[in-house]
Amino acid sequence: MITQPPSTIDVSDKWDARFIELARHISGWSKDPSTKVGCVVIGEDREIRSTGFNGFPRGIADDSRLAEREQKYPLICHAEENAIMHAARIGVSLKGCVAYVTWPPCTVCSRSLIQAGIVEVIYPGDIEIPERWEKDFAMSVAMMKEAGIKIRST
C-alpha cells in the first residue's frame, strides 16, 4: 500500500465552497458542453497551483490550431489530467496538494492524481452519479483510497 504524507493544508467549509465554485466557473471554459468538468489544485496556504477543464489544453485559442497541435501532443480531455499537464509545463509540483473537482475523477484521472502526489480530492456532494458511471466511480475511489488519497464530498 502506498501512503502519502498527511495534508498540511487547513481548508475550512468556507474555502471548500469557494474552490468548488471556482472549479465550476472553470468548467464553463470547456469546448464540449456535454462534459463540463473543472479542476482546481491548491497547495499550502490555499494558493492555486494549477487549474484544468475538460476539452482542449490551455493555450488553444481556436479550433484552427487543433490539427497542428494533435500532430505534436495527445489531446488531454479530462480536467484533472489537464491541470496536471499544465502544472508540468510550467514546472509546478502538485505533490501534497488538494484537488477540487466538479465531478468525481474517473479511473484514468485517478491514476494521474496518484502519480502527481495529490493527497485529497474534494467534489460537490449535490451531484447524482448516473448508473453507467457507478462502477468506474467505485473503482476510482478504491484506487485513490489504496494510494492514501483522502476523498470527500462537500
Side-chain angles (χ1 to χ4, degrees):
M1 180 178 187
I2 300 170
T3 58
Q4 298 289 341
S7 176
T8 58
I9 302 167
D10 177 29
V11 180
S12 67
D13 291 339
K14 166 181 77 168
W15 287 100
D16 283 351
R18 288 179 179 176
F19 286 124
I20 290 291
E21 189 58 37
L22 179 57
R24 283 183 172 144
H25 173 74
I26 290 168
S27 74
W29 300 342
S30 174
K31 299 279 186 181
D32 182 352
S34 67
T35 57
K36 288 193 176 287
V37 180
C39 175
V40 177
V41 182
I42 66 156
E44 293 182 32
D45 299 323
R46 296 188 285 265
E47 81 276 8
I48 296 172
R49 304 297 301 255
S50 188
T51 62
F53 58 94
N54 277 15
F56 303 121
R58 290 181 153 235
I60 299 293
D62 58 68
D63 294 353
S64 65
R65 292 180 49 209
L66 181 59
E68 175 188 329
R69 178 147 180 114
E70 278 185 330
Q71 293 173 4
K72 296 179 183 178
Y73 309 102
L75 183 65
I76 303 297
C77 290
H78 295 248
E80 298 88 340
E81 288 185 312
N82 196 323
I84 291 166
M85 184 179 83
H86 174 67
R89 265 197 320 263
I90 61 174
V92 172
S93 171
L94 301 181
K95 187 173 184 174
C97 291
V98 174
Y100 286 87
V101 293
T102 58
W103 187 261
C106 67
T107 52
V108 172
C109 289
S110 293
R111 283 192 295 273
S112 296
L113 292 167
I114 291 165
Q115 291 172 347
I118 299 294
V119 295
E120 186 171 5
V121 174
I122 302 168
Y123 63 91
D126 62 351
I127 59 174
E128 290 185 31
I129 309 286
E131 189 176 322
R132 70 178 189 269
W133 292 107
E134 285 178 357
K135 185 175 179 181
D136 186 73
F137 177 57
M139 289 179 3
S140 173
V141 168
M143 285 171 50
M144 289 188 288
K145 283 185 177 180
E146 185 176 328
I149 296 177
K150 182 179 176 184
I151 304 134
R152 67 181 171 93
S153 61
T154 58

